[in-house]
Amino acid sequence: MSHYNAFYQAIAGNRLSHWLDTLPAQLTDWQKNHLHGEYAQWQKVLEQLPVTQTQHVNIKDSVTVGLPEEIEAGQLKRLEHMLKRLKPWRKGPYHIHGLHIDTEWRSDFKWDRLAPHTSDLKDRYVLDIGCGSGYHLWRMRGAGAKFVVGVDPTQLFVTQFNAVQHFIQDNNVHLLPLGVEQLPELNAFDTVFAMGVLYHRRSPIDFIYQLKAQLVKGGELVLETLIVDGDENTVLVPGERYAKMRNVWFLPSGKAMCAWLERCGFSNVRMVNTDITDVAEQRKTDWIDTESLKDFLDPNDASKTIEGYPAPKRAIFIANK
């Protein structure tokens, strides 16, 4: 639990100190009772990562750490072998001492779409809910955020984050193995991001209230989700699968999403971007062993999913508490 002890120490002296009332017990229970069957093997990978020294860290324009010449060729090859034991790598990309982790998603594309629309992150406390392996955590920190916390219950993603953190070593960026439903009402973050999560929640309205409860008064929510075309009453509820995903529940129209946010008490609600997901942004690479977007779409009509629903269209919404 040493990594989380460091987190406890960090928040003991900042505005998140009240989280210590519940968090240690949650993480102790997680460690004792809820570890993935392969978790011990993943931890062995982390323990075997080479220790390197570098002054070259760029998290402003990418997530890049170290130069190729700062690691021996044999070590670099072994590093690639070890990190591929943590496949699939979904969100990225990452560059570690010249090793390109070519993730399934080009998460930098999403960052480039949303960054011009958000408030300046300088000196902000930021929370990213459902953050995956934490690619955007680093970009938030690179944009000037003072303290960045991600939560994601997928233990492989947490391990991948810790692998990158092993090289960057930033004590103001953390990822906790929690779901949003495990968060107390912290009312402590200046900006909350929730990207690619809402459509996985069985109760989107409850989810929106959970997001709101993490923000300070006047704080900013940045929510990105799948949408469909239609008016304020249009919501797609797929059948058993959407784009081969079982856990997709509600896809609202942009107008419906804005109405939901307003109903939950958010102000200054606006949809700032829409984008059709394409195979340049989500595709199969050597760093995943599973299908990707191309396999999820109708082979004869890319405007539809394999099930016949509208193909993935994403929108970014910004609102204030």
Side-chain angles (χ1 to χ4, degrees), residues 1 28 31 33 67 77 96 100 133 158 162-163 177 196 215 217 234 248 251 275 285-286 297 303:
M1 295 290 286
T28 297
Q31 187 184 41
N33 302 311
L67 300 175
K77 191 171 184 64
I96 302 174
H100 177 202
S133 62
V158 176
N162 287 331
L215 284 163
K217 183 65 177 175
T234 302
V248 174
L251 277 66
D275 186 77
T285 76
D286 289 340
L297 300 178
S303 71

Side-chain angles (χ1 to χ4, degrees), residues 69-136:
E69 56 266 31
E70 293 172 330
I71 188 172
E72 295 178 0
Q75 274 191 318
L76 186 60
K77 191 171 184 64
R78 178 169 169 74
L79 175 62
E80 179 178 5
H81 172 74
M82 287 190 292
L83 293 181
K84 282 189 172 178
R85 289 169 58 186
L86 301 180
K87 289 195 293 185
W89 285 79
R90 299 290 189 194
K91 306 296 176 68
Y94 302 99
H95 303 268
I96 302 174
H97 290 290
L99 174 63
H100 177 202
I101 302 178
D102 188 15
T103 50
E104 176 188 10
W105 283 86
R106 288 293 304 269
S107 302
D108 50 332
F109 289 8
K110 183 180 295 188
W111 184 256
D112 290 343
R113 289 196 296 270
L114 68 88
H117 303 288
T118 65
S119 295
D120 188 352
L121 295 183
K122 182 174 174 56
D123 294 330
R124 288 196 166 213
Y125 281 67
V126 179
L127 174 66
D128 187 0
I129 291 175
C131 64
S133 62
Y135 174 83
H136 289 120

Side-chain angles (χ1 to χ4, degrees), residues 280-307:
E281 184 170 358
Q282 184 189 12
R283 71 275 192 269
K284 190 168 183 177
T285 76
D286 289 340
W287 289 84
I288 72 167
D289 289 326
T290 55
E291 294 180 322
S292 193
L293 179 63
K294 183 179 178 181
D295 307 292
F296 307 152
L297 300 178
D298 184 329
N300 300 311
D301 184 357
S303 71
K304 297 179 179 179
T305 70
I306 197 78
E307 303 87 2

Side-chain angles (χ1 to χ4, degrees), residues 208 221 223 256-266 269 317 319:
I208 293 169
L221 172 66
L223 188 150
M257 187 71 246
C258 288
W260 289 359
L261 289 166
E262 290 170 353
R263 177 68 184 273
C264 293
F266 280 96
V269 177
F317 301 84

